[in-house]
Amino acid sequence: MKSLFNKKRLDNLPEFWHNYIAKFSEPEAIDYKNTRFVVLDTETTGFNTYRDRILCIGALSIVNNSIEVESSLEIYLEQQHFDASTVAIHGILKNEKIEHVSEQKGLEMFLSFLNNAVIIAHHAQFDISMINRALDRNGLPELKNRIIDTALLYKKTLLSTPLLPKKEVYSLDEIANKFDISTKDRHTALGDAYITAIAFLKIMNRLQDKGPVSLKSLYN
């Protein structure tokens, strides 16, 4: 019965999901320079992936080692759940006069932008989990994209010695400070995506200084 249910569920998925999945039939890039990356960030009502909701999705593209500023996405989602205590972090007010779309429409817009690109995010597990929960609420399967976490990738640029061990976690602020990246738009979805994109390119420069870098070696 379970397999029949899953088949029925897949058959009833909306057209935008099938368009998204169809992109994965295309040949996968081997060289990271020929790969389209989508840098992602979400602003949420909190940090509980079960209870909390996405307020905003920000995303932009990196192609051929260049940030495509004109190719970006910032979507504000309608949500009934709201936690006023997190407003100090993301600055999004409950009744703010910004154009909002339904959660399903927001996911459709995001997937149409994302396609089969490799996702880049800082502490990616949280953002991906939030999006997967939203997909599940709307009767959709999880994301299929490969993922690169800049928090983990940055650690590959560091030497580890008994006197200077690597930290378990590096925040986006720490990495931005290390690379002298402006944080004036910090804690906006598109602003954090842009900071993460610059950090990724600077991390890549450091890794390439050590030798050839394969796309496969970047995946988490």
Side-chain angles (χ1 to χ4, degrees):
M1 291 296 292
K2 183 178 181 180
S3 61
L4 290 175
F5 172 79
N6 287 339
K7 185 176 188 301
K8 182 178 179 181
R9 182 178 178 183
L10 291 173
D11 288 343
N12 290 337
L13 294 178
E15 183 179 1
F16 72 81
W17 178 264
H18 291 294
N19 292 339
Y20 163 69
I21 289 298
K23 291 292 183 179
F24 290 87
S25 63
E26 299 175 2
E28 187 175 357
I30 299 175
D31 186 346
Y32 80 90
K33 293 180 181 178
N34 298 322
T35 300
R36 177 174 177 259
F37 299 96
V38 165
V39 189
L40 163 69
D41 184 76
T42 61
E43 294 300 325
T44 64
T45 60
F47 301 104
N48 186 309
T49 56
Y50 289 90
R51 183 185 67 245
D52 287 300
R53 298 291 185 267
I54 299 171
L55 295 172
C56 184
I57 300 174
L60 49 81
S61 298
I62 294 179
V63 178
N64 196 25
N65 280 342
S66 296
I67 300 172
E68 297 188 323
V69 178
E70 72 284 357
S71 178
S72 63
L73 188 73
E74 190 168 43
I75 311 165
Y76 289 87
L77 306 182
E78 298 170 353
Q79 298 292 0
Q80 294 303 312
H81 177 78
F82 194 83
D83 186 346
S85 68
T86 61
V87 172
I89 299 174
H90 51 67
I92 302 173
L93 301 175
K94 185 174 184 179
N95 297 314
E96 194 165 2
K97 293 183 179 180
I98 298 175
E99 183 179 355
H100 293 74
V101 298
S102 68
E103 188 173 75
Q104 185 181 67
K105 182 62 178 177
L107 292 170
E108 177 182 352
M109 293 168 68
F110 173 64
L111 292 177
S112 297
F113 179 82
L114 177 62
N115 291 320
N116 62 343
V118 175
I119 293 174
I120 298 172
H122 198 77
H123 300 314
Q125 183 177 358
F126 175 74
D127 296 290
I128 299 302
S129 294
M130 290 298 294
I131 290 176
N132 282 336
R133 291 292 177 193
L135 289 167
D136 184 64
R137 282 194 298 274
N138 287 272
L140 298 167
E142 295 185 346
L143 293 171
K144 306 300 181 185
N145 306 71
R146 293 189 181 273
I147 301 164
I148 296 171
D149 189 333
T150 47
L152 300 177
L153 195 63
Y154 174 68
K155 294 172 71 172
K156 295 182 180 181
T157 70
L158 304 176
L159 295 174
S160 183
T161 68
L163 295 177
L164 192 63
K166 294 180 183 179
K167 291 174 60 176
E168 186 66 28
V169 176
Y170 290 89
S171 70
L172 187 57
D173 288 305
E174 286 178 300
I175 295 176
N177 182 63
K178 182 68 176 181
F179 290 126
D180 196 26
I181 302 170
S182 171
T183 57
K184 68 175 183 177
D185 292 322
R186 185 80 170 91
H187 295 304
T188 66
L190 192 55
D192 281 0
Y194 185 67
I195 293 168
T196 303
I198 297 174
F200 172 73
L201 294 177
K202 289 183 177 292
I203 290 169
M204 289 303 301
N205 286 337
R206 284 202 173 183
L207 292 176
Q208 289 176 90
D209 288 342
K210 295 184 175 184
V213 178
S214 69
L215 182 60
K216 186 177 180 180
S217 70
L218 304 178
Y219 295 143
N220 305 125

